[in-house]
Amino acid sequence: TMLKAGEQIHERYAFYGIKGTRSTPVREYLKVLKGRVQVTADDTVLTLSEGDGAAYYTNIPHEIEALEDAEVQRYLPKTGLAPHYF
């Protein structure tokens, strides 16, 4: 995902599946390929530079903001997989 300086991504994932509440929340993985971003998840604020990465549980709303032009790689495992694949 390419982000221009000041651009933001807000994520509010659902913790519920078709069969009700998941016993294991899914994690999203983020890696900064270029530039710098600031990630706010709950009360935690991280500044990530090129080569840095982080992971977040998707039941926690989070925001990714580009501090400068940036490129980030995001990976969210498919929720249809068994929990041991997370």
Side-chain angles (χ1 to χ4, degrees):
T1 304
M2 300 295 292
L3 298 169
K4 294 186 181 198
E7 191 174 353
Q8 299 176 345
I9 300 172
H10 300 277
E11 296 292 355
R12 299 191 188 285
Y13 294 105
F15 185 52
Y16 305 98
I18 295 171
K19 296 181 181 180
T21 305
R22 296 184 59 83
S23 61
T24 306
V26 179
R27 294 182 85 169
E28 176 181 335
Y29 299 90
L30 172 75
K31 182 175 181 180
V32 180
L33 302 177
K34 183 177 85 172
R36 287 187 324 128
V37 298
Q38 179 175 302
V39 180
T40 306
D42 215 8
D43 293 333
T44 305
V45 178
L46 294 174
T47 300
L48 305 174
S49 299
E50 185 174 328
D52 292 341
Y56 312 97
Y57 285 105
T58 56
N59 62 331
I60 300 172
H62 58 277
E63 174 183 294
I64 302 166
E65 180 180 358
L67 300 176
E68 57 189 51
D69 289 351
E71 181 179 1
V72 296
Q73 182 178 28
R74 300 168 67 195
Y75 174 69
L76 182 66
K78 299 218 182 290
T79 56
L81 297 175
H84 62 272
Y85 286 113
F86 301 136

